[in-house]
Amino acid sequence: MSKRKTTTLEKTAFIFLNDLRDSGVTNMFGATPYLEDKFQTNKEVARALLLAWMNVFDPEGEYDEIDDNV
């Protein structure tokens, strides 16, 4: 298993997604538009961030390193 440091965007987005999940505002499968709006990004980048977060979800928000192979 190979881990790498998260990028600043990933770490910030993952923490945002944890907070969004905790708020109960949306089902996380519908979080793409929230990412697009918050980070002023396109749908493809937002979906990639969401998928990465789903693969490495940590309720404690420990996202200094992630395993890309998950």
Side-chain angles (χ1 to χ4, degrees), residues 7-29:
T7 66
T8 301
L9 175 60
E10 287 170 332
K11 188 170 185 174
T12 305
F14 293 172
I15 291 169
F16 170 78
L17 287 165
N18 275 29
D19 292 343
L20 183 62
R21 177 184 174 269
D22 291 345
S23 76
V25 169
T26 186
N27 177 302
M28 295 313 291
F29 289 103

Side-chain angles (χ1 to χ4, degrees), residues 13-55:
F14 293 172
I15 291 169
F16 170 78
L17 287 165
N18 275 29
D19 292 343
L20 183 62
R21 177 184 174 269
D22 291 345
S23 76
V25 169
T26 186
N27 177 302
M28 295 313 291
F29 289 103
T32 299
Y34 291 89
L35 286 165
E36 289 176 81
D37 184 53
K38 174 72 174 176
F39 296 99
Q40 298 298 293
T41 190
N42 63 41
K43 188 176 286 188
E44 290 76 26
V45 171
R47 283 182 180 165
L49 287 167
L50 179 59
L51 180 59
W53 173 80
M54 288 179 171
N55 285 333

